[in-house]
Amino acid sequence: SQQGEEDPQALSIQEGENATMNCSYKTSINNLQWYRQNSGRGLVHLILIRSNEREKHSGRLRVTLDTSKKSSSLLITASRAADTASYFCATGPFGNEKLTFGTGTRLTIIP
Amino acid sequence: DSGVTQTPKHLITATGQRVTLRCSPRSGDLSVYWYQQSLDQGLQFLIQYYNGEERAKGNILERFSAQQFPDLHSELNLSSLELGDSALYFCASSRGRTGELFFGEGSRLTVL
């Protein structure tokens, strides 16, 4: 079963706009990771946020984590066509053991 | 290029057959993970190895088995294949037991 679920399942925005996707998970976590997958390709790691962190930035990415609500959000600012991909959150009870991925958000950036 | 190599990239076989998928992790990475991605099940964790030993098991069917060899490469064996086993099979590696995973490009299995 999936540990996390992303919301929305699909999102289409104009290039230059910000994109926000959310992840909810079920059990206690050590850290939460976000990955991107271009169609049919391998997943690429974007950012990792530890359970004792509330916010983290990396370039145009901003991730927040609310352990009390068991949720995380990924914000991509000033979106580009190249950001078109599926985005997944991944969580595990300890490190990467049984690291499970959510259902993903399919993001489409309209030029 | 993630540094993780998976072979074969594509594989077409018949029901009841057996196949072996191979993964070479990034140089120095001790952990190897196998995932199955299908349209209806999403990305499912199958199994994880660390330095040759099984560390965690997920939704891996009894018809499937895996191992990690002393040189750290890994193989996933799928037997008595069924139509529903058609999927993308990903291997990933990481330096230790925490931190980011580096994914290969996957092996696309089609069972006819």
Side-chain angles (χ1 to χ4, degrees):
Chain A
S1 63
Q2 301 289 352
Q3 162 71 313
E5 286 197 9
E6 284 85 349
D7 168 53
Q9 289 188 352
L11 178 63
S12 291
I13 61 173
Q14 295 288 333
E15 192 167 18
E17 294 181 339
N18 296 340
T20 299
M21 43 208 106
N22 305 295
C23 165
S24 59
Y25 57 92
K26 297 174 184 173
T27 61
S28 297
I29 60 170
N30 178 263
N31 62 62
L32 184 144
Q33 304 180 42
W34 283 91
Y35 288 80
R36 183 188 75 223
Q37 183 182 32
N38 289 90
S39 183
R41 305 290 302 275
L43 282 75
V44 175
H45 182 267
L46 295 176
I47 196 166
L48 180 154
I49 185 166
R50 303 190 190 286
S51 58
N52 61 353
E53 296 177 310
R54 291 296 168 259
E55 188 171 313
K56 199 163 182 179
H57 296 255
S58 176
R60 294 184 296 113
L61 305 180
R62 172 178 168 253
V63 168
T64 62
L65 178 63
D66 187 335
T67 53
S68 67
K69 294 181 180 178
K70 291 186 169 59
S71 67
S72 174
S73 67
L74 171 67
L75 168 68
I76 303 175
T77 60
S79 63
R80 305 167 181 169
D83 295 329
T84 293
S86 291
Y87 292 81
F88 297 87
C89 65
T91 56
F94 177 76
N96 289 339
E97 289 191 9
K98 294 192 175 183
L99 190 70
T100 55
F101 287 76
T103 50
T105 291
R106 184 172 298 186
L107 175 65
T108 302
I109 307 300
I110 304 166
Chain B
D1 182 6
S2 68
V4 178
T5 304
Q6 287 189 249
T7 57
K9 286 185 169 40
H10 300 275
L11 191 54
I12 301 174
T13 189
T15 55
Q17 294 298 304
R18 172 189 170 95
V19 299
T20 296
L21 309 181
R22 181 187 168 100
C23 170
S24 294
R26 286 191 326 154
S27 177
D29 282 1
L30 299 178
S31 288
V32 168
Y33 313 78
W34 286 97
Y35 286 86
Q36 177 195 57
Q37 187 175 39
S38 60
L39 283 176
D40 57 343
Q41 293 291 319
L43 198 63
Q44 296 284 327
F45 167 69
L46 296 178
I47 198 163
Q48 175 195 353
Y49 284 87
Y50 177 78
N51 203 20
E53 292 189 4
E54 183 183 303
R55 288 295 307 180
K57 220 167 188 176
N59 300 323
I60 187 166
L61 300 172
E62 286 190 10
R63 301 183 286 109
F64 296 0
S65 65
Q67 56 183 325
Q68 185 180 28
F69 295 87
D71 67 353
L72 301 178
H73 90 271
S74 179
E75 292 181 355
L76 178 66
N77 300 296
L78 316 175
S79 62
S80 302
L81 286 168
E82 302 175 359
L83 295 178
D85 297 328
S86 295
L88 254 177
Y89 290 84
F90 286 107
C91 169
S93 71
S94 66
R95 189 72 61 188
R97 303 210 301 267
T98 62
E100 68 179 286
L101 269 61
F102 294 86
F103 279 79
E105 289 299 311
S107 292
R108 183 174 294 279
L109 173 66
T110 302
V111 182
L112 301 176

